[in-house]
Amino acid sequence: MSAAERDFSNFQLGDNVYELGGGVIPDIAERLDFEIGTEPDSDKLGALVKIIGENKVLRENEEVQAISLDKAADLVNRSGVQEPLARSLWTPDKSLPSHIDTVIVTGAVANWQDRTASLLVDAVKRGFGADNLYLLSGNREMSSKSEINNQNIIRYYKEYGVYPLESNYATEFVKPMLEEAGYNVTNEAFETGKGDAIAAEFAANHSDVWIDDKTVSVARVANAGIQLAVQMQRAARDVNPKFDMDRNNPQLFVQADTRLVASAREQLDDPANYQSPFTAMRQLVLTARYLLKASLDQ
């Protein structure tokens, strides 16, 4: 099977990201009248992310008018970026083991934190287990439009009179849920909201996680899991350059859920059950950029 026959769920690390999903990235660029070139280029992909729209919090980006709602949904579905993941970052041929040494979860918008917790609870019901789970969270205030209607956020605000930081939310709502499922949870808060900085600081403080044949899984929602996996792989290799270097004996795995993509206006207005394809398109291009970086690191 060639890269053009694979997508962003069953890729092999090292695939040409412009070919995945039947060339979905070049198709998006063409529809936006942006020239990305014939060979994958990190700077071009970064520029394309900005063209699709800055989106620091889920679903606050403006729709991409050059691409209709139904076409955006088609492109995202074709890409495979919304498919569930339980695989090695290297290859889908190495699936997530039933038991792993360490699981890593990071903070995010409320909906993402809720979904990641549910993903890991459901995994336990299917027989998955881990020795340790690290719950990493930053200091962003959770008061975005996508969050203020979250029932947990509402409850927190009523009790404390302020909106929670990501670290507050993780402690108050996510950690108990994971502990009840049987995970040994260590909660760590960071004085930053930047994912790369959190990954780097965590990796440096926990050199024992990245040694020998230790296995690590990162858990996140659909269209964001690969990005977190690459962040952690790069941070880990700053501590141990040999970490996860063997395709045939991988150490790093990624878990992600799935979410139906909105293709109609009423679905777009139901973020609890449907993924905005416009947000997912930005995430798709960002995922391609991270995969390109990871390929160049090997």
Side-chain angles (χ1 to χ4, degrees), residues 29 47 64 84 139 158 188 191 254:
V64 180
N139 61 358
K158 284 182 177 179
E188 296 191 6
E191 292 300 319
V254 55

Side-chain angles (χ1 to χ4, degrees), residues 59 61-65 67-73 261-278:
R59 298 185 60 83
N61 61 310
E62 296 180 0
E63 294 182 3
V64 180
Q65 298 301 323
I67 302 177
S68 66
L69 175 61
D70 59 340
K71 176 50 66 175
V261 179
S263 59
R265 175 58 56 180
E266 60 270 20
Q267 295 174 340
L268 192 63
D269 293 334
D270 182 13
N273 295 299
Y274 292 91
Q275 169 68 54
S276 163
F278 302 108

